Amino acid sequence: MKEQTPLSERIITRSIQVAGYSSIVFVLLILSFLIREGAPAFFEVPLKELTAIRWYPIENYFGILPLILGSLIVTIGAALIAIPAGVGTAIFISEVAPQWLKEILKPLVEVLAGFPSVMLGFLGILIVSPSLRKLLELPTGLTALTGALLLAGIAIPTIVSISEDAMNTVPRSYREAGWAVGATRWQTIWGVTLPAARSGVLMAIILGVGRSIGETMTVMMVTGNAPVLPLKWNSLFSPVRTMTATIASEMGEVATGSTHYHVLFLIGIILFLISLAVNITASAIVLRHPKRAERILS
Amino acid sequence: MNIIEVEHFSLSYSDGTEGLRDITMGIPANQITVMLGPAGGGKSTLMRAINRLNDLADVISMNGRITVDGLDVNDPKTNLVELRRKVGMVFARPVPLPLSIRQNITYGLEVAGVTDKTILAEVVEKTLRDAVLWDEVYDRLNDPGVALSGGQQQRLCIARTLALDPKVILLDEPTSGLDPISTAKIEDSLQMLKQRYTIVLAPHSVQQASRTADFAAFFLQGELIETADGKDLFTRPKDKRTQDYVEGRFG
């Protein structure tokens, strides 16, 4: 007898299929568009000039190195601030804070995670940058450090929220085992709880830092946007320009199809590859095939 | 001689349930004291009161006194870390720390400030032998503790507790998840260990209780029904409820 599937079932299956495939198609379309618009840059600008240190597109200097390094210095600075602060806060919320405080702090952090970044940039221009200028006696407060500080502000809520979840799933019995061998609360957190939540905390860090690499609005507002190669010891305290800020500020006034236009897309491709690498690392950690021992334990 | 004295000890949880009601008993040194009774009887609660792991549970009121070796455990001046080194605990589900086999044993000593490599190595071998695990792991001490089988993990947890050279070892249903052979190994090692340590055991069956007990206490719904030396509790119970339980009529 022929199997009968009701019409409604078939319609539902089809539409879900279409939705699923279309998201793949869209991603591929975006990718192919990026490559189509960015690849010509390789033919129009010699590789030697692309990797030069001068970005001045009006006079045909297309050295993207300062932009890549600008992004890196701001992101690494942000990571150096956000990782200890974020993991520390997560430890506080999960292990130290009393229940009532925990119930206030956790939702608060989650609200912060959804804070529009342009508002953070606004705060940066109005408060962080002038105070940094006064504090460190700099000629301008719009520096790599300002960007790093604010990006850390964007990464911290993500790091806190996800690593707190990870530490919460560590069974109570682990902590009791730590206490039962005479470890203090802090020794137990450091030696038992944190290692047990390792993969979740790592994931939180990668997602948090990943978010700050792609962040545009805040860094454009507060880093000063000077495409200078940040290699001197004091580059942290001088203006830089990131890849994202470059695309956002120049794309609006560039002639479609010009060399400058193609190079901007090339920067987009580089950014895309960095994000891709971060995301692949993150999912490799999360989807890592659990070891035999871990499967038995869980 | 009693090493632990429990005097009129009561405890209730914040959800309104009464954990323990007016318990008075002594736990003799260098013997295996068995606490038996159906689930929810208060065995675990009493054990956790002795090394104060209950501090982190939702306990709202505690009355009475517990002393270990003359030390009042609920005295605010009591050093918790020292108390827990003196009173080791093994849990129902083996919980290896997320460290190697060797580090699982040395962790407690290291946080206590012992760094001498030779001493640590000696302790690792001695405690693993005492816990009847040495022959199975001596060639892979750097493997993660979680890589061991369930029975081996539990013996590792016992070795870890022994490493601190406690006076008392609390075992809360240590063999509940284990196969008969692992269970027998653990029971054997307990018989050997009682010469040096005081052992308090919540067994996972009446059979295990009667096999191991030097002294036995029967708990029911937070009350201590009766205590008796040796096998008396199983052969000549004084209380009807104890008799029903040991004969398997409930629980």
Side-chain angles (χ1 to χ4, degrees):
Chain A
M1 197 179 121
K2 202 181 150 223
E3 200 186 334
Q4 291 287 311
T5 317
L7 183 64
S8 62
E9 290 280 323
R10 270 181 291 163
I11 292 175
I12 291 168
T13 313
R14 278 277 167 263
S15 32
I16 290 174
Q17 261 173 354
V18 169
Y21 289 137
S22 61
S23 65
I24 299 174
V25 169
F26 283 135
V27 171
L28 289 178
L29 276 179
I30 293 173
L31 186 61
S32 66
F33 182 74
L34 259 185
I35 293 172
R36 202 190 72 196
E37 301 294 324
F42 283 116
F43 306 108
E44 291 163 15
V45 186
L47 198 63
K48 194 158 158 278
E49 271 177 47
L50 273 179
T51 53
I53 58 165
R54 185 141 184 238
W55 175 261
Y56 199 65
I58 297 174
E59 295 186 3
N60 287 326
Y61 289 104
F62 295 111
I64 54 178
L65 211 56
L67 310 177
I68 296 178
L69 287 179
S71 273
L72 281 184
I73 190 175
V74 174
T75 308
I76 290 172
L80 288 181
I81 302 167
I83 292 170
V87 176
T89 311
I91 289 175
F92 176 75
I93 296 180
S94 153
E95 308 292 316
V96 183
Q99 192 60 37
W100 62 269
L101 191 59
K102 207 181 281 192
E103 276 161 21
I104 299 172
L105 281 177
K106 190 78 205 285
L108 215 62
V109 166
E110 260 138 38
V111 168
L112 270 182
F115 201 68
S117 59
V118 66
M119 291 304 298
L120 212 63
F122 202 51
L123 287 178
I125 289 181
L126 284 179
I127 300 167
V128 182
S129 140
S131 8
L132 266 183
R133 195 187 64 222
K134 273 187 218 124
L135 193 72
L136 302 170
E137 294 174 357
L138 300 169
T140 168
L142 301 173
T143 64
L145 181 65
T146 324
L149 278 173
L150 288 160
L151 278 190
I154 286 175
I156 285 173
T158 312
I159 296 181
V160 172
S161 179
I162 298 173
S163 29
E164 202 270 343
D165 286 342
M167 277 187 267
N168 248 339
T169 56
V170 174
R172 194 185 141 76
S173 54
Y174 274 56
R175 299 183 181 103
E176 288 181 344
W179 297 322
V181 294
T184 60
R185 183 152 80 165
W186 170 241
Q187 287 164 336
T188 304
I189 291 170
W190 191 246
V192 181
T193 317
L194 211 53
R198 194 173 35 211
S199 65
V201 173
L202 226 56
M203 171 78 185
I205 290 172
I206 287 173
L207 283 181
V209 173
R211 226 193 120 182
S212 63
I213 295 176
E215 173 54 41
T216 311
M217 216 53 225
T218 318
V219 286
M220 192 159 89
M221 290 166 83
V222 302
T223 52
N225 287 327
V228 185
L229 198 64
L231 280 185
K232 286 194 291 284
W233 65 271
N234 60 353
S235 333
L236 201 56
F237 305 109
S238 40
V240 292
R241 180 192 274 196
T242 65
M243 295 189 277
T244 49
T246 306
I247 298 175
S249 57
E250 293 178 10
M251 193 52 99
E253 47 208 52
V254 75
T256 312
S258 66
T259 307
H260 185 191
Y261 173 87
H262 291 145
V263 174
L264 286 182
F265 271 96
L266 180 66
I267 297 174
I269 294 174
I270 295 170
L271 202 58
F272 172 77
L273 289 178
I274 294 176
S275 296
L276 193 69
V278 169
N279 281 336
I280 287 175
T281 320
S283 45
I285 290 172
V286 174
L287 299 176
R288 185 180 51 137
H289 197 62
K291 288 191 205 123
R292 188 184 96 93
E294 282 169 309
R295 254 180 299 146
I296 292 169
L297 200 72
S298 53
Chain B
M1 207 207 64
N2 291 340
I3 186 166
I4 299 176
E5 292 286 359
V6 182
E7 292 159 33
H8 301 291
F9 189 77
S10 302
L11 180 153
S12 39
Y13 289 110
S14 61
D15 58 0
T17 54
E18 205 167 18
L20 293 168
R21 200 179 316 150
D22 197 24
I23 308 289
T24 298
M25 70 180 289
I27 291 173
N30 294 85
Q31 293 196 4
I32 298 180
T33 297
V34 162
M35 293 182 176
L36 77 158
K43 302 162 289 178
S44 294
T45 307
L46 182 56
M47 283 194 180
R48 282 155 180 273
I50 294 173
N51 71 352
R52 282 193 53 190
L53 274 188
N54 272 338
D55 282 16
L56 293 123
D58 298 328
V59 172
I60 46 164
S61 78
M62 267 198 292
N63 288 304
R65 227 165 94 90
I66 297 179
T67 57
V68 175
D69 213 11
L71 180 82
D72 183 348
V73 301
N74 288 316
D75 189 325
K77 287 199 289 287
T78 298
N79 181 338
L80 274 187
V81 167
E82 233 145 71
L83 173 70
R84 288 176 187 152
R85 281 187 194 136
K86 202 181 265 191
V87 184
M89 182 152 190
V90 177
F91 303 92
R93 226 177 122 192
V95 194
L97 302 174
L99 302 167
S100 73
I101 295 173
R102 186 201 312 277
Q103 286 168 324
N104 256 282
I105 292 170
T106 56
Y107 183 70
L109 288 171
E110 278 164 11
V111 299
V114 180
T115 49
D116 189 322
K117 288 241 164 57
T118 13
I119 294 182
L120 290 177
E122 276 169 23
V123 171
V124 168
E125 174 163 357
K126 184 170 168 303
T127 56
L128 282 174
R129 282 191 192 283
D130 284 346
V132 208
L133 186 61
W134 177 255
D135 294 339
E136 294 160 53
V137 300
Y138 68 92
D139 54 350
R140 49 179 177 136
L141 292 175
N142 292 321
D143 283 10
V146 285
L148 297 173
S149 76
Q152 291 171 327
Q153 286 184 9
Q154 192 60 297
R155 279 176 280 152
L156 178 64
C157 291
I158 293 176
R160 178 176 78 200
T161 308
L162 296 178
L164 293 165
D165 199 26
K167 291 227 152 64
V168 180
I169 303 172
L170 308 170
L171 300 112
D172 190 355
E173 303 196 5
T175 56
S176 59
L178 304 187
D179 62 282
I181 293 168
S182 300
T183 303
K185 281 187 180 168
I186 286 177
E187 284 179 21
D188 286 349
S189 68
L190 291 184
Q191 291 301 334
M192 204 171 68
L193 291 172
K194 75 178 181 187
Q195 287 152 23
R196 277 177 286 146
Y197 306 97
T198 301
I199 291 168
V200 181
L201 171 73
H204 81 267
S205 67
V206 176
Q207 289 76 11
Q208 185 177 45
S210 64
R211 275 198 302 270
T212 49
D214 295 318
F215 181 72
F218 178 62
F219 288 82
L220 186 63
Q221 289 166 2
E223 276 184 273
L224 178 60
I225 306 299
E226 68 173 289
T227 59
D229 274 328
K231 317 291 181 210
D232 285 1
L233 194 89
F234 306 96
T235 51
R236 291 189 294 277
K238 282 169 275 188
D239 194 289
K240 179 77 171 56
R241 288 169 292 182
T242 315
Q243 186 175 8
D244 286 351
Y245 183 75
V246 297
E247 286 174 4
R249 250 169 263 167
F250 75 93

